[in-house]
Amino acid sequence: MLAILACAACSTDSTNISRTFELAYRGGSLADRAAPNPAYRYLRTVVDGRSALLVLGYTDPDPATPDAPPIEVWYSAEGEVVRLQQGRVVGTSGLSTDWRSTRAPDAPTWGSLVASAAQDRAAGQALATWQRTRDESAYRSGVIDRISVHAIAAPRGTELAGLAPESLQWFEERAEPIVPPAGTPGAVRLTARYALRVDSGATEVVYTEHCLGPELCLSLQRWPAR
């Protein structure tokens, strides 16, 4: 399956996704010009301005909440893995910073957030707040963030390709560290942005920007753009 990926890298010393993209696409972005096989589902991934295609390997049920939406498991050519649930990163492996797992049972659905955003609210007011617990690489477990989500205008300077930003509905999640507490080593404020297509009440996350750490941010877009 991995052999069909457009981002097949030519290096054997790559240990993280940024290095994979650098070697695979030095001098150009083949991902944007590739002709994907319609038998597979792809994710256009951009790190440090370089793009590659990940392929959907399979979907898993949520082990904590069986009725929750499934978890999508995406692979790069060199075996890095990104797990998404409703567009949110819930696990990775093989990256320079990994989230081994996350737990956020109170995270709201996108449908409820779209409905809340349609109501009159004060500028900058959070639509919802909840807690997320995550286990990171380097033996950091039990990291807790307080997440707030906000409706935002279509931003400029994104890696969104093939779609008009104004045609989508945008949200931003802001993470405030609780454990370790803000101001202590390892406490990092992280953000994520999401672009949703809303059609006849149905919602779909088509683009995500997600920072896993201060030095690693991913842009993820369902591909090809439609």
Side-chain angles (χ1 to χ4, degrees):
M1 176 185 66
L2 297 182
I4 69 162
L5 288 174
C7 60
C10 56
S11 169
T12 58
D13 64 352
S14 172
T15 57
N16 62 66
I17 205 166
S18 299
R19 181 64 173 159
T20 297
F21 293 171
E22 177 182 358
L23 293 173
Y25 290 107
R26 182 182 294 137
S29 179
L30 300 181
D32 296 348
R33 301 194 300 271
N37 185 330
Y40 297 91
R41 293 172 59 187
Y42 295 90
L43 197 66
R44 177 181 180 266
T45 304
V46 182
V47 177
D48 295 332
R50 300 175 177 87
S51 63
L53 294 181
L54 276 64
V55 70
L56 179 65
Y58 55 92
T59 60
D60 268 341
D62 187 327
T65 310
D67 294 335
I71 296 171
E72 301 170 339
V73 184
W74 300 85
Y75 287 92
S76 79
E78 292 203 351
E80 296 97 345
V81 178
V82 176
R83 294 176 172 85
L84 298 180
Q85 186 177 34
Q86 289 196 306
R88 295 183 174 106
V89 175
V90 296
T92 66
S93 61
L95 281 62
S96 56
T97 297
D98 271 328
W99 286 12
R100 302 300 187 188
S101 64
T102 69
R103 298 171 296 283
D106 298 325
T109 65
W110 289 114
S112 67
L113 292 173
V114 168
S116 295
Q119 302 173 6
D120 291 333
R121 290 181 177 269
Q125 180 179 349
L127 300 174
T129 59
W130 67 95
Q131 287 190 7
R132 175 184 65 203
T133 302
R134 52 190 169 89
D135 298 333
E136 289 188 5
S137 49
Y139 306 102
R140 297 186 70 233
S141 61
V143 178
I144 301 176
D145 301 309
R146 179 182 294 111
I147 310 296
S148 62
V149 61
H150 306 256
I152 61 173
R156 298 181 178 180
T158 72
E159 297 291 349
L160 182 71
L163 297 172
E166 295 78 12
S167 69
L168 304 172
Q169 188 160 353
W170 291 79
F171 295 88
E172 182 176 78
E173 289 181 352
R174 305 166 189 172
E176 183 72 20
I178 299 177
V179 179
T184 62
V188 181
R189 291 181 173 87
L190 301 174
T191 61
R193 293 194 295 195
Y194 304 87
L196 278 68
R197 177 184 290 108
V198 181
D199 185 12
S200 301
T203 61
E204 179 188 16
V205 178
V206 298
Y207 176 80
T208 299
E209 295 174 352
H210 204 113
C211 290
L212 303 180
E215 298 180 354
L216 179 61
C217 294
L218 311 175
S219 296
L220 309 168
Q221 182 179 352
R222 297 187 181 276
W223 198 255
R226 59 176 177 80

